[in-house]
Amino acid sequence: MTNGTSENALMARSRINFLKIWVGQGASQVGSQISLLAIPTLAILVYHATPFEASVVGALEVVPFTLFSLLAGPLVDRLPRRAVLIVCDVARFAAIATLAGTYLAGLHHMWIIYAVAFVVGTFTVFFDITFMSFIPHVVAKEHLLTANSRLGATNSVAQTAGPSVGGLLIEFLGPARTLVVDAVSYLVSVAALVLVRVKEPRRNNSTLRIRVLFAEIREGLVYVRRSPVLARVALTNAMCDFGQSIIHSVYLVFIYNSLHLPPGQVGFVLAVTGVSFAAGAILLPRVTRWLGFGRTMAFSVLLGMGIELLTPLAMLGFAVVVLVGINIVTGATNAFYDINQLTYRQKRTPDELQGRVHATMRMTFQGPTPFGYLLGGALATFVGVAATIFVGAVVSTIGATALLTGAVLRLRSIDEVDPDPDPGKPLSSATTKEDL
């Protein structure tokens, strides 16, 4: 009877902790989605940024993933994860508040946008890797798919509300004042994390020398390389994200300058993706049971990338209808793919390697994206914005075909996936007495 009562208490505490994180992340995601529209709008419509300058903003937001992802892994596996999340949110609040404050003070310089984009991107690297490693301590592994589906649905609501609210706020307040909403949202996330009570396991507290650092980074790389599924997911996301960064580098330029849509309609077009993602997250368990876990991942990413080949057709007429139709498909397929591949990674990876494996995957996913943003800006200068979007869609579609392999397609259920008992070189072997 005592054991049953204790288990019920633990489950209740887990639900409460997850609810706090859920609320905090929901607020933060809405704010971030507002900034994703407000910052480029500030650069394009107020500072009259060229396509290349707009692409530099996007590149600086993601280049920290190239520079710091692998370093973040060993640090996340050593530091208290809740504390890291709080520090990252406070830093991002300060950066966004600085951008709004400097603009309102009359300092209208593109280099400030560049600097803020880099700072926010840097702390987002550490936050995202830490958050993915922290969730398995909040909920039991058998509930990870449900938890990730709920977080994904929340993100989709943010993708819906953020651009919609952001577009309206930009029209009435201007892009700089709109950024204040995002800054406040980070404080809401901090408050939620402060209230979370989770007992984290004891971390590896050995001195992090250069030799140990590289050895531990290598463990994450080897673990991913030895997994047929994770290796394929890494390759797929590297190519898909590279193609998507080419598209995103000029997407708002395409909408504002080629299609001449106002911010309110732009917010609506972007918001559709979030609605569709939410529907996809709700339908995910049913689709996975019907199609199979691996096939759901493989076919959804292929469809989601391929549909974007139609984006330039918006120039022929009915632009909003064309873009909305494309975003409905991409939103749902992104839910099917993203939630499943993240859950697979979390369930397969031992806790002591969570940070490094997530860091390795993030590095392979987003490491090439700064070059995609810069390439997109350069291509738009020479071949035009619409042609650049089509090139990015071709690259993404080719990348999606990498998952059409037996190791992925044979996965029928996430329940078949257990943590790998042989993660490669054990953690203890990476640290010798000379290193301590």
Side-chain angles (χ1 to χ4, degrees):
M1 191 71 177
T2 304
N3 289 338
T5 303
S6 177
E7 289 178 5
N8 290 336
L10 289 174
M11 291 179 62
R13 187 182 307 167
S14 174
R15 285 194 293 268
I16 292 172
N17 282 329
F18 180 75
L19 180 61
K20 294 173 184 175
I21 291 177
W22 198 5
V23 171
Q25 280 304 291
S28 178
Q29 288 293 333
V30 170
S32 296
Q33 290 297 321
I34 291 174
S35 281
L36 285 176
L37 181 59
I39 292 177
T41 300
L42 179 67
I44 295 168
L45 297 186
V46 179
Y47 293 172
H48 304 291
T50 66
F52 184 76
E53 288 174 329
S55 72
V56 170
V57 176
L60 288 171
E61 288 177 335
V62 295
V63 74
F65 286 92
T66 305
L67 299 176
F68 306 129
S69 285
L70 293 179
L71 173 64
L75 294 177
V76 167
D77 284 336
R78 289 167 176 269
L79 297 173
R81 291 170 183 168
R82 187 174 71 102
V84 173
L85 294 174
I86 292 172
V87 169
C88 290
D89 270 341
V90 170
R92 292 188 291 180
F93 157 78
I96 295 296
T98 297
L99 177 57
T102 53
Y103 177 85
L104 297 175
L107 300 175
H108 304 164
H109 305 291
M110 279 297 295
W111 69 263
I112 298 178
I113 294 181
Y114 292 155
V116 169
F118 182 80
V119 171
V120 171
T122 298
F123 283 98
T124 298
V125 171
F126 287 89
F127 184 93
D128 287 356
I129 292 171
T130 306
F131 189 76
M132 288 183 288
S133 305
F134 184 63
I135 289 299
H137 293 300
V138 179
V139 299
K141 286 197 172 185
E142 59 268 23
H143 297 142
L144 274 176
L145 185 59
T146 300
N148 285 328
S149 295
R150 289 175 178 173
L151 289 169
T154 303
N155 183 53
S156 71
V157 172
Q159 289 177 345
T160 303
S164 300
V165 173
L168 294 175
L169 288 176
I170 289 169
E171 289 193 354
F172 287 102
L173 301 178
R177 291 181 177 86
T178 300
L179 291 172
V180 175
V181 178
D182 184 25
V184 172
S185 73
Y186 284 121
L187 295 183
V188 175
S189 179
V190 169
L193 288 166
V194 168
L195 295 174
V196 170
R197 293 290 179 266
V198 174
K199 185 177 181 180
E200 298 186 49
R202 185 179 180 85
R203 303 289 176 209
N204 177 13
N205 294 320
S206 61
T207 304
L208 189 59
R209 300 179 184 273
I210 295 297
R211 178 180 173 185
V212 177
L213 175 65
F214 282 107
E216 293 187 359
I217 288 174
R218 181 179 178 275
E219 288 183 80
L221 292 167
V222 169
Y223 188 88
V224 171
R225 180 177 59 82
R226 288 182 177 180
S227 167
V229 175
L230 291 182
R232 286 286 180 164
V233 169
L235 175 61
T236 294
N237 279 23
M239 292 190 65
C240 288
D241 283 12
F242 181 71
Q244 290 298 296
S245 64
I246 294 175
I247 296 173
H248 293 160
S249 69
V250 295
Y251 190 71
L252 286 178
V253 176
F254 174 68
I255 292 179
Y256 282 130
N257 296 347
S258 299
L259 304 180
H260 306 292
L261 299 183
Q265 289 187 10
V266 173
F268 170 72
V269 167
L270 298 179
V272 169
T273 305
V275 176
S276 182
F277 193 106
I282 293 170
L283 294 173
L284 176 60
R286 185 178 301 176
V287 172
T288 300
R289 285 194 300 269
W290 170 65
L291 194 58
F293 183 81
R295 291 183 178 182
T296 299
M297 285 202 301
F299 297 153
S300 61
V301 70
L302 182 61
L303 177 59
M305 298 299 102
I307 194 70
E308 294 192 335
L309 292 167
L310 304 178
T311 302
L313 294 180
M315 297 185 68
L316 302 179
F318 303 101
V320 173
V321 175
V322 172
L323 296 179
V324 165
I326 291 170
N327 287 347
I328 287 174
V329 176
T330 57
T333 53
N334 283 346
F336 297 159
Y337 177 68
D338 288 346
I339 295 172
N340 271 354
Q341 65 93 8
L342 173 59
T343 305
Y344 179 90
R345 200 189 324 159
Q346 289 173 326
K347 287 198 72 171
R348 176 184 174 87
T349 307
D351 181 68
E352 65 272 15
L353 283 174
Q354 285 274 341
R356 278 165 284 171
V357 169
H358 292 311
T360 299
M361 298 298 279
R362 271 306 173 99
M363 174 60 183
T364 56
F365 294 175
Q366 296 190 289
T369 55
F371 306 103
Y373 274 97
L374 297 177
L375 176 59
L379 281 175
T381 303
F382 292 103
V383 303
V385 173
T388 299
I389 289 176
F390 184 78
V391 170
V394 170
V395 173
S396 296
T397 304
I398 294 173
T401 62
L403 277 190
L404 300 176
T405 180
V408 176
L409 299 178
R410 284 193 298 268
L411 280 175
R412 288 296 306 168
S413 169
I414 186 63
D415 295 326
E416 298 174 7
V417 183
D418 294 317
D420 191 340
D422 181 20
K425 196 173 182 180
L427 186 65
S428 59
S429 66
T431 308
T432 63
K433 291 183 178 179
E434 292 102 8
D435 296 321
L436 300 177

